[in-house]
PDB file of all heavy atoms in Angstrom:
ATOM      1  N   TYR B1378      12.473 -11.920  -1.983  1.00  0.00           N
ATOM      2  CA  TYR B1378      11.147 -11.399  -2.309  1.00  0.00           C
ATOM      3  C   TYR B1378      11.095 -11.087  -3.788  1.00  0.00           C
ATOM      4  O   TYR B1378      12.119 -10.932  -4.459  1.00  0.00           O
ATOM      5  CB  TYR B1378      10.822 -10.166  -1.457  1.00  0.00           C
ATOM      6  CG  TYR B1378      11.776  -9.023  -1.654  1.00  0.00           C
ATOM      7  CD1 TYR B1378      11.501  -8.011  -2.572  1.00  0.00           C
ATOM      8  CD2 TYR B1378      12.961  -8.955  -0.930  1.00  0.00           C
ATOM      9  CE1 TYR B1378      12.388  -6.969  -2.773  1.00  0.00           C
ATOM     10  CE2 TYR B1378      13.853  -7.918  -1.120  1.00  0.00           C
ATOM     11  CZ  TYR B1378      13.560  -6.928  -2.047  1.00  0.00           C
ATOM     12  OH  TYR B1378      14.443  -5.901  -2.241  1.00  0.00           O
ATOM     13  N   SER B1379       9.867 -10.938  -4.281  1.00  0.00           N
ATOM     14  CA  SER B1379       9.709 -10.812  -5.724  1.00  0.00           C
ATOM     15  C   SER B1379       9.491  -9.390  -6.201  1.00  0.00           C
ATOM     16  O   SER B1379       9.633  -9.109  -7.382  1.00  0.00           O
ATOM     17  CB  SER B1379       8.528 -11.665  -6.189  1.00  0.00           C
ATOM     18  OG  SER B1379       7.336 -11.180  -5.603  1.00  0.00           O
ATOM     19  N   TYR B1380       9.122  -8.481  -5.323  1.00  0.00           N
ATOM     20  CA  TYR B1380       8.741  -7.138  -5.761  1.00  0.00           C
ATOM     21  C   TYR B1380       9.966  -6.288  -6.075  1.00  0.00           C
ATOM     22  O   TYR B1380      10.930  -6.300  -5.329  1.00  0.00           O
ATOM     23  CB  TYR B1380       7.893  -6.451  -4.695  1.00  0.00           C
ATOM     24  CG  TYR B1380       7.392  -5.111  -5.137  1.00  0.00           C
ATOM     25  CD1 TYR B1380       6.431  -5.009  -6.139  1.00  0.00           C
ATOM     26  CD2 TYR B1380       7.907  -3.940  -4.600  1.00  0.00           C
ATOM     27  CE1 TYR B1380       5.989  -3.774  -6.576  1.00  0.00           C
ATOM     28  CE2 TYR B1380       7.471  -2.713  -5.022  1.00  0.00           C
ATOM     29  CZ  TYR B1380       6.518  -2.633  -6.015  1.00  0.00           C
ATOM     30  OH  TYR B1380       6.082  -1.414  -6.443  1.00  0.00           O
ATOM     31  N   GLY B1381       9.936  -5.532  -7.169  1.00  0.00           N
ATOM     32  CA  GLY B1381      11.104  -4.788  -7.608  1.00  0.00           C
ATOM     33  C   GLY B1381      11.174  -3.342  -7.192  1.00  0.00           C
ATOM     34  O   GLY B1381      12.183  -2.697  -7.409  1.00  0.00           O
ATOM     35  N   GLY B1382      10.134  -2.814  -6.587  1.00  0.00           N
ATOM     36  CA  GLY B1382      10.134  -1.409  -6.212  1.00  0.00           C
ATOM     37  C   GLY B1382      10.655  -1.196  -4.805  1.00  0.00           C
ATOM     38  O   GLY B1382      11.314  -2.052  -4.223  1.00  0.00           O
ATOM     39  N   THR B1383      10.357  -0.044  -4.261  1.00  0.00           N
ATOM     40  CA  THR B1383      10.758   0.274  -2.888  1.00  0.00           C
ATOM     41  C   THR B1383       9.981  -0.597  -1.913  1.00  0.00           C
ATOM     42  O   THR B1383       8.772  -0.724  -2.028  1.00  0.00           O
ATOM     43  CB  THR B1383      10.483   1.754  -2.578  1.00  0.00           C
ATOM     44  OG1 THR B1383      11.206   2.553  -3.513  1.00  0.00           O
ATOM     45  CG2 THR B1383      10.926   2.098  -1.169  1.00  0.00           C
ATOM     46  N   VAL B1384      10.706  -1.186  -0.984  1.00  0.00           N
ATOM     47  CA  VAL B1384      10.068  -2.090  -0.026  1.00  0.00           C
ATOM     48  C   VAL B1384      10.532  -1.797   1.397  1.00  0.00           C
ATOM     49  O   VAL B1384      11.619  -1.249   1.604  1.00  0.00           O
ATOM     50  CB  VAL B1384      10.364  -3.571  -0.347  1.00  0.00           C
ATOM     51  CG1 VAL B1384       9.724  -3.999  -1.657  1.00  0.00           C
ATOM     52  CG2 VAL B1384      11.858  -3.828  -0.382  1.00  0.00           C
ATOM     53  N   ASN B1385       9.696  -2.140   2.338  1.00  0.00           N
ATOM     54  CA  ASN B1385      10.093  -2.246   3.734  1.00  0.00           C
ATOM     55  C   ASN B1385      10.198  -3.733   4.057  1.00  0.00           C
ATOM     56  O   ASN B1385       9.370  -4.526   3.589  1.00  0.00           O
ATOM     57  CB  ASN B1385       9.055  -1.597   4.659  1.00  0.00           C
ATOM     58  CG  ASN B1385       9.089  -0.077   4.590  1.00  0.00           C
ATOM     59  OD1 ASN B1385       9.971   0.517   3.976  1.00  0.00           O
ATOM     60  ND2 ASN B1385       8.110   0.551   5.221  1.00  0.00           N
ATOM     61  N   LEU B1386      11.198  -4.085   4.840  1.00  0.00           N
ATOM     62  CA  LEU B1386      11.484  -5.497   5.094  1.00  0.00           C
ATOM     63  C   LEU B1386      11.529  -5.772   6.586  1.00  0.00           C
ATOM     64  O   LEU B1386      11.995  -4.930   7.358  1.00  0.00           O
ATOM     65  CB  LEU B1386      12.833  -5.865   4.461  1.00  0.00           C
ATOM     66  CG  LEU B1386      12.902  -5.671   2.947  1.00  0.00           C
ATOM     67  CD1 LEU B1386      14.317  -5.401   2.502  1.00  0.00           C
ATOM     68  CD2 LEU B1386      12.357  -6.900   2.241  1.00  0.00           C
ATOM     69  N   PHE B1387      11.083  -6.945   6.959  1.00  0.00           N
ATOM     70  CA  PHE B1387      10.969  -7.287   8.376  1.00  0.00           C
ATOM     71  C   PHE B1387      11.360  -8.742   8.605  1.00  0.00           C
ATOM     72  O   PHE B1387      11.202  -9.595   7.732  1.00  0.00           O
ATOM     73  CB  PHE B1387       9.510  -7.133   8.854  1.00  0.00           C
ATOM     74  CG  PHE B1387       8.919  -5.784   8.594  1.00  0.00           C
ATOM     75  CD1 PHE B1387       8.376  -5.477   7.356  1.00  0.00           C
ATOM     76  CD2 PHE B1387       8.890  -4.825   9.587  1.00  0.00           C
ATOM     77  CE1 PHE B1387       7.825  -4.226   7.104  1.00  0.00           C
ATOM     78  CE2 PHE B1387       8.337  -3.573   9.352  1.00  0.00           C
ATOM     79  CZ  PHE B1387       7.818  -3.286   8.107  1.00  0.00           C
ATOM     80  N   TRP B1388      11.845  -8.994   9.797  1.00  0.00           N
ATOM     81  CA  TRP B1388      11.895 -10.333  10.345  1.00  0.00           C
ATOM     82  C   TRP B1388      11.094 -10.324  11.647  1.00  0.00           C
ATOM     83  O   TRP B1388      11.323  -9.501  12.532  1.00  0.00           O
ATOM     84  CB  TRP B1388      13.326 -10.798  10.625  1.00  0.00           C
ATOM     85  CG  TRP B1388      14.029 -11.319   9.414  1.00  0.00           C
ATOM     86  CD1 TRP B1388      14.873 -10.644   8.580  1.00  0.00           C
ATOM     87  CD2 TRP B1388      13.958 -12.651   8.883  1.00  0.00           C
ATOM     88  NE1 TRP B1388      15.323 -11.458   7.582  1.00  0.00           N
ATOM     89  CE2 TRP B1388      14.784 -12.704   7.743  1.00  0.00           C
ATOM     90  CE3 TRP B1388      13.279 -13.811   9.281  1.00  0.00           C
ATOM     91  CZ2 TRP B1388      14.935 -13.867   6.981  1.00  0.00           C
ATOM     92  CZ3 TRP B1388      13.447 -14.962   8.529  1.00  0.00           C
ATOM     93  CH2 TRP B1388      14.259 -14.983   7.395  1.00  0.00           C
ATOM     94  N   TYR B1389      10.149 -11.243  11.708  1.00  0.00           N
ATOM     95  CA  TYR B1389       9.372 -11.463  12.924  1.00  0.00           C
ATOM     96  C   TYR B1389       9.769 -12.822  13.505  1.00  0.00           C
ATOM     97  O   TYR B1389      10.107 -13.743  12.773  1.00  0.00           O
ATOM     98  CB  TYR B1389       7.874 -11.473  12.621  1.00  0.00           C
ATOM     99  CG  TYR B1389       7.265 -10.110  12.389  1.00  0.00           C
ATOM    100  CD1 TYR B1389       7.308  -9.512  11.137  1.00  0.00           C
ATOM    101  CD2 TYR B1389       6.636  -9.423  13.420  1.00  0.00           C
ATOM    102  CE1 TYR B1389       6.745  -8.255  10.921  1.00  0.00           C
ATOM    103  CE2 TYR B1389       6.068  -8.171  13.218  1.00  0.00           C
ATOM    104  CZ  TYR B1389       6.125  -7.594  11.965  1.00  0.00           C
ATOM    105  OH  TYR B1389       5.565  -6.365  11.753  1.00  0.00           O
ATOM    106  N   VAL B1390       9.681 -12.933  14.828  1.00  0.00           N
ATOM    107  CA  VAL B1390       9.994 -14.186  15.498  1.00  0.00           C
ATOM    108  C   VAL B1390       8.805 -14.630  16.341  1.00  0.00           C
ATOM    109  O   VAL B1390       8.109 -13.800  16.920  1.00  0.00           O
ATOM    110  CB  VAL B1390      11.258 -14.049  16.377  1.00  0.00           C
ATOM    111  CG1 VAL B1390      11.096 -12.987  17.453  1.00  0.00           C
ATOM    112  CG2 VAL B1390      11.644 -15.386  17.004  1.00  0.00           C
ATOM    113  N   GLN B1391       8.574 -15.931  16.355  1.00  0.00           N
ATOM    114  CA  GLN B1391       7.492 -16.490  17.162  1.00  0.00           C
ATOM    115  C   GLN B1391       8.077 -17.592  18.039  1.00  0.00           C
ATOM    116  O   GLN B1391       8.399 -18.683  17.540  1.00  0.00           O
ATOM    117  CB  GLN B1391       6.380 -17.041  16.274  1.00  0.00           C
ATOM    118  CG  GLN B1391       5.166 -17.519  17.035  1.00  0.00           C
ATOM    119  CD  GLN B1391       4.052 -17.981  16.126  1.00  0.00           C
ATOM    120  OE1 GLN B1391       4.288 -18.416  14.995  1.00  0.00           O
ATOM    121  NE2 GLN B1391       2.824 -17.896  16.590  1.00  0.00           N
ATOM    122  N   TYR B1392       8.236 -17.308  19.312  1.00  0.00           N
ATOM    123  CA  TYR B1392       8.720 -18.312  20.248  1.00  0.00           C
ATOM    124  C   TYR B1392       7.605 -19.315  20.530  1.00  0.00           C
ATOM    125  O   TYR B1392       6.422 -18.985  20.388  1.00  0.00           O
ATOM    126  CB  TYR B1392       9.228 -17.656  21.530  1.00  0.00           C
ATOM    127  CG  TYR B1392      10.415 -16.763  21.280  1.00  0.00           C
ATOM    128  CD1 TYR B1392      10.283 -15.380  21.239  1.00  0.00           C
ATOM    129  CD2 TYR B1392      11.671 -17.307  21.023  1.00  0.00           C
ATOM    130  CE1 TYR B1392      11.363 -14.556  20.968  1.00  0.00           C
ATOM    131  CE2 TYR B1392      12.766 -16.492  20.751  1.00  0.00           C
ATOM    132  CZ  TYR B1392      12.592 -15.130  20.713  1.00  0.00           C
ATOM    133  OH  TYR B1392      13.671 -14.318  20.424  1.00  0.00           O
ATOM    134  N   PRO B1393       7.943 -20.535  20.917  1.00  0.00           N
ATOM    135  CA  PRO B1393       6.929 -21.578  21.095  1.00  0.00           C
ATOM    136  C   PRO B1393       5.770 -21.115  21.964  1.00  0.00           C
ATOM    137  O   PRO B1393       5.966 -20.648  23.084  1.00  0.00           O
ATOM    138  CB  PRO B1393       7.727 -22.711  21.753  1.00  0.00           C
ATOM    139  CG  PRO B1393       9.125 -22.520  21.262  1.00  0.00           C
ATOM    140  CD  PRO B1393       9.311 -21.035  21.178  1.00  0.00           C
ATOM    141  N   GLY B1394       4.574 -21.242  21.424  1.00  0.00           N
ATOM    142  CA  GLY B1394       3.372 -20.895  22.160  1.00  0.00           C
ATOM    143  C   GLY B1394       3.105 -19.418  22.321  1.00  0.00           C
ATOM    144  O   GLY B1394       2.189 -19.022  23.040  1.00  0.00           O
ATOM    145  N   GLN B1395       3.885 -18.589  21.647  1.00  0.00           N
ATOM    146  CA  GLN B1395       3.723 -17.145  21.797  1.00  0.00           C
ATOM    147  C   GLN B1395       3.307 -16.484  20.487  1.00  0.00           C
ATOM    148  O   GLN B1395       3.176 -17.124  19.456  1.00  0.00           O
ATOM    149  CB  GLN B1395       5.028 -16.525  22.305  1.00  0.00           C
ATOM    150  CG  GLN B1395       5.433 -16.999  23.687  1.00  0.00           C
ATOM    151  CD  GLN B1395       6.615 -16.226  24.227  1.00  0.00           C
ATOM    152  OE1 GLN B1395       6.849 -15.077  23.862  1.00  0.00           O
ATOM    153  NE2 GLN B1395       7.372 -16.853  25.113  1.00  0.00           N
ATOM    154  N   HIS B1396       3.087 -15.169  20.578  1.00  0.00           N
ATOM    155  CA  HIS B1396       2.694 -14.416  19.401  1.00  0.00           C
ATOM    156  C   HIS B1396       3.924 -13.950  18.633  1.00  0.00           C
ATOM    157  O   HIS B1396       5.046 -14.074  19.123  1.00  0.00           O
ATOM    158  CB  HIS B1396       1.848 -13.214  19.815  1.00  0.00           C
ATOM    159  CG  HIS B1396       2.595 -12.239  20.683  1.00  0.00           C
ATOM    160  ND1 HIS B1396       2.926 -12.511  21.985  1.00  0.00           N
ATOM    161  CD2 HIS B1396       3.077 -11.004  20.427  1.00  0.00           C
ATOM    162  CE1 HIS B1396       3.552 -11.479  22.506  1.00  0.00           C
ATOM    163  NE2 HIS B1396       3.672 -10.550  21.577  1.00  0.00           N
ATOM    164  N   LEU B1397       3.699 -13.435  17.456  1.00  0.00           N
ATOM    165  CA  LEU B1397       4.797 -12.907  16.657  1.00  0.00           C
ATOM    166  C   LEU B1397       5.287 -11.588  17.239  1.00  0.00           C
ATOM    167  O   LEU B1397       4.504 -10.744  17.662  1.00  0.00           O
ATOM    168  CB  LEU B1397       4.355 -12.661  15.215  1.00  0.00           C
ATOM    169  CG  LEU B1397       4.363 -13.865  14.306  1.00  0.00           C
ATOM    170  CD1 LEU B1397       3.107 -14.677  14.507  1.00  0.00           C
ATOM    171  CD2 LEU B1397       4.477 -13.433  12.842  1.00  0.00           C
ATOM    172  N   GLN B1398       6.602 -11.435  17.204  1.00  0.00           N
ATOM    173  CA  GLN B1398       7.214 -10.198  17.678  1.00  0.00           C
ATOM    174  C   GLN B1398       8.185  -9.719  16.610  1.00  0.00           C
ATOM    175  O   GLN B1398       8.823 -10.526  15.936  1.00  0.00           O
ATOM    176  CB  GLN B1398       8.009 -10.434  18.968  1.00  0.00           C
ATOM    177  CG  GLN B1398       7.251 -11.094  20.080  1.00  0.00           C
ATOM    178  CD  GLN B1398       8.166 -11.506  21.200  1.00  0.00           C
ATOM    179  OE1 GLN B1398       9.038 -10.743  21.635  1.00  0.00           O
ATOM    180  NE2 GLN B1398       7.989 -12.715  21.711  1.00  0.00           N
ATOM    181  N   LEU B1399       8.304  -8.411  16.511  1.00  0.00           N
ATOM    182  CA  LEU B1399       9.238  -7.850  15.560  1.00  0.00           C
ATOM    183  C   LEU B1399      10.672  -8.077  16.035  1.00  0.00           C
ATOM    184  O   LEU B1399      11.018  -7.740  17.174  1.00  0.00           O
ATOM    185  CB  LEU B1399       8.977  -6.355  15.382  1.00  0.00           C
ATOM    186  CG  LEU B1399       9.848  -5.650  14.357  1.00  0.00           C
ATOM    187  CD1 LEU B1399       9.544  -6.169  12.952  1.00  0.00           C
ATOM    188  CD2 LEU B1399       9.615  -4.134  14.415  1.00  0.00           C
ATOM    189  N   LEU B1400      11.491  -8.646  15.155  1.00  0.00           N
ATOM    190  CA  LEU B1400      12.900  -8.901  15.472  1.00  0.00           C
ATOM    191  C   LEU B1400      13.773  -7.750  14.964  1.00  0.00           C
ATOM    192  O   LEU B1400      14.646  -7.248  15.659  1.00  0.00           O
ATOM    193  CB  LEU B1400      13.318 -10.217  14.827  1.00  0.00           C
ATOM    194  CG  LEU B1400      14.631 -10.865  15.230  1.00  0.00           C
ATOM    195  CD1 LEU B1400      14.684 -11.127  16.724  1.00  0.00           C
ATOM    196  CD2 LEU B1400      14.843 -12.154  14.446  1.00  0.00           C
ATOM    197  N   LEU B1401      13.532  -7.359  13.707  1.00  0.00           N
ATOM    198  CA  LEU B1401      14.217  -6.207  13.139  1.00  0.00           C
ATOM    199  C   LEU B1401      13.501  -5.773  11.874  1.00  0.00           C
ATOM    200  O   LEU B1401      12.657  -6.492  11.346  1.00  0.00           O
ATOM    201  CB  LEU B1401      15.700  -6.511  12.860  1.00  0.00           C
ATOM    202  CG  LEU B1401      16.054  -7.767  12.097  1.00  0.00           C
ATOM    203  CD1 LEU B1401      15.846  -7.623  10.604  1.00  0.00           C
ATOM    204  CD2 LEU B1401      17.510  -8.165  12.347  1.00  0.00           C
ATOM    205  N   LYS B1402      13.854  -4.578  11.428  1.00  0.00           N
ATOM    206  CA  LYS B1402      13.186  -4.014  10.262  1.00  0.00           C
ATOM    207  C   LYS B1402      14.167  -3.183   9.457  1.00  0.00           C
ATOM    208  O   LYS B1402      15.147  -2.651   9.995  1.00  0.00           O
ATOM    209  CB  LYS B1402      12.004  -3.143  10.703  1.00  0.00           C
ATOM    210  CG  LYS B1402      12.425  -1.954  11.550  1.00  0.00           C
ATOM    211  CD  LYS B1402      11.224  -1.211  12.109  1.00  0.00           C
ATOM    212  CE  LYS B1402      11.693  -0.044  12.994  1.00  0.00           C
ATOM    213  NZ  LYS B1402      10.565   0.622  13.673  1.00  0.00           N
ATOM    214  N   TYR B1403      13.880  -3.087   8.164  1.00  0.00           N
ATOM    215  CA  TYR B1403      14.633  -2.207   7.283  1.00  0.00           C
ATOM    216  C   TYR B1403      13.654  -1.339   6.517  1.00  0.00           C
ATOM    217  O   TYR B1403      12.770  -1.845   5.817  1.00  0.00           O
ATOM    218  CB  TYR B1403      15.501  -3.008   6.296  1.00  0.00           C
ATOM    219  CG  TYR B1403      16.136  -2.114   5.259  1.00  0.00           C
ATOM    220  CD1 TYR B1403      17.289  -1.395   5.561  1.00  0.00           C
ATOM    221  CD2 TYR B1403      15.568  -1.957   4.002  1.00  0.00           C
ATOM    222  CE1 TYR B1403      17.860  -0.547   4.628  1.00  0.00           C
ATOM    223  CE2 TYR B1403      16.132  -1.112   3.060  1.00  0.00           C
ATOM    224  CZ  TYR B1403      17.278  -0.409   3.387  1.00  0.00           C
ATOM    225  OH  TYR B1403      17.839   0.440   2.465  1.00  0.00           O
ATOM    226  N   PHE B1404      13.837  -0.029   6.654  1.00  0.00           N
ATOM    227  CA  PHE B1404      13.038   0.915   5.879  1.00  0.00           C
ATOM    228  C   PHE B1404      13.906   1.620   4.833  1.00  0.00           C
ATOM    229  O   PHE B1404      13.514   1.759   3.679  1.00  0.00           O
ATOM    230  CB  PHE B1404      12.384   1.958   6.790  1.00  0.00           C
ATOM    231  CG  PHE B1404      11.237   1.423   7.623  1.00  0.00           C
ATOM    232  CD1 PHE B1404      10.833   0.100   7.559  1.00  0.00           C
ATOM    233  CD2 PHE B1404      10.543   2.261   8.486  1.00  0.00           C
ATOM    234  CE1 PHE B1404       9.787  -0.391   8.325  1.00  0.00           C
ATOM    235  CE2 PHE B1404       9.485   1.787   9.264  1.00  0.00           C
ATOM    236  CZ  PHE B1404       9.110   0.473   9.184  1.00  0.00           C
ATOM    237  N   SER B1405      15.074   2.083   5.252  1.00  0.00           N
ATOM    238  CA  SER B1405      15.981   2.783   4.351  1.00  0.00           C
ATOM    239  C   SER B1405      17.320   2.955   5.070  1.00  0.00           C
ATOM    240  O   SER B1405      17.447   2.620   6.252  1.00  0.00           O
ATOM    241  CB  SER B1405      15.423   4.133   3.923  1.00  0.00           C
ATOM    242  OG  SER B1405      15.297   4.993   5.042  1.00  0.00           O
TER     243      SER B1405
END
Side-chain angles (χ1 to χ4, degrees):
Chain B
Y1378 61 94
S1379 63
Y1380 184 69
T1383 301
V1384 294
N1385 287 352
L1386 300 153
F1387 305 83
W1388 278 96
Y1389 284 85
V1390 60
Q1391 185 177 27
Y1392 297 103
Q1395 296 188 27
H1396 63 288
L1397 278 82
Q1398 306 170 45
L1399 183 66
L1400 193 57
L1401 50 79
K1402 62 187 178 186
Y1403 172 81
F1404 287 0
S1405 64

